[in-house]
């Protein structure tokens, strides 16, 4: 199964480079026409969220909408898809950033709780706990 890197998804989503957008569309169309599902590693989703927010100014609602659409695309298969869905839910409902929500979701999926952290924002996510200083 072919896999996609962050930069291909970014070009496809933000359409900021016409040549790369055309190449991404051709690649995706060719794979889909051949009956292939495209694999997206969990690290690509993490980097994608960061790039959309930090480089392209997506706000939380834009990120939520974009990731939700990707997760429902039948052409894509995601590594740790259930953890990604849980992370998206935690991100939607809480104040922690997406990366922290994903860390918690992956640890929980592995049956390893709590996720110990010095990050006060991350500690607000259920199954995360703040490490006491001192």
């Amino acid at each position: 199964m072919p896999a996609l890197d962050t930069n291909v998804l970014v070009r496809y989503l933000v359409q900021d480079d016409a040549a790369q957008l055309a190449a991404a569309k051709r690649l995706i169309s060719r794979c889909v026409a051949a009956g292939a599902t495209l694999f997206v590693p969990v690290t690509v989703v993490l980097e994608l969220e960061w790039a959309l927010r930090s480089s392209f100014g997506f706000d939380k609602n834009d990120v939520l909408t974009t990731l939700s659409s990707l997760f429902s695309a039948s052409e894509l298969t995601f590594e740790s898809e259930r953890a990604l869905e849980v992370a998206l839910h935690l991100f939607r409902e809480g104040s922690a950033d997406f990366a922290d929500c994903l860390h918690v979701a992956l640890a929980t999926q592995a049956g390893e709780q709590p996720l110990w952290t010095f990050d006060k924002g991350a500690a607000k996510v259920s199954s995360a706990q703040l490490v006491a200083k001192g």
Side-chain angles (χ1 to χ4, degrees), residues 2 9 13 28-29 31 33 37 42 45 48 51 53 55-56 58 66 72 79-80 90 93 97 99 116 123-124 127 133:
L9 287 173
L13 293 169
I28 293 168
S29 294
C31 289
T37 302
V42 70
V45 176
L48 175 63
R53 188 175 31 80
S55 297
F56 297 97
F58 280 41
T66 301
S72 65
E79 177 186 18
S80 302
L90 293 170
E93 301 299 320
D97 64 28
W116 289 99
K124 292 179 182 177
S127 300
K133 298 178 196 171

Side-chain angles (χ1 to χ4, degrees), residues 6 19 28 44-45 52 64 70 78 86 101 120:
T6 308
I28 293 168
V44 165
V45 176
L52 293 175
L64 286 165
L70 281 178
F78 293 86
V86 168
C101 294
K120 291 179 183 174

Side-chain angles (χ1 to χ4, degrees), residues 98-116:
F98 180 73
D100 291 327
C101 294
L102 183 55
H103 300 326
V104 168
L106 287 168
T108 301
Q109 177 178 284
E112 307 298 337
Q113 298 174 350
L115 175 76
W116 289 99

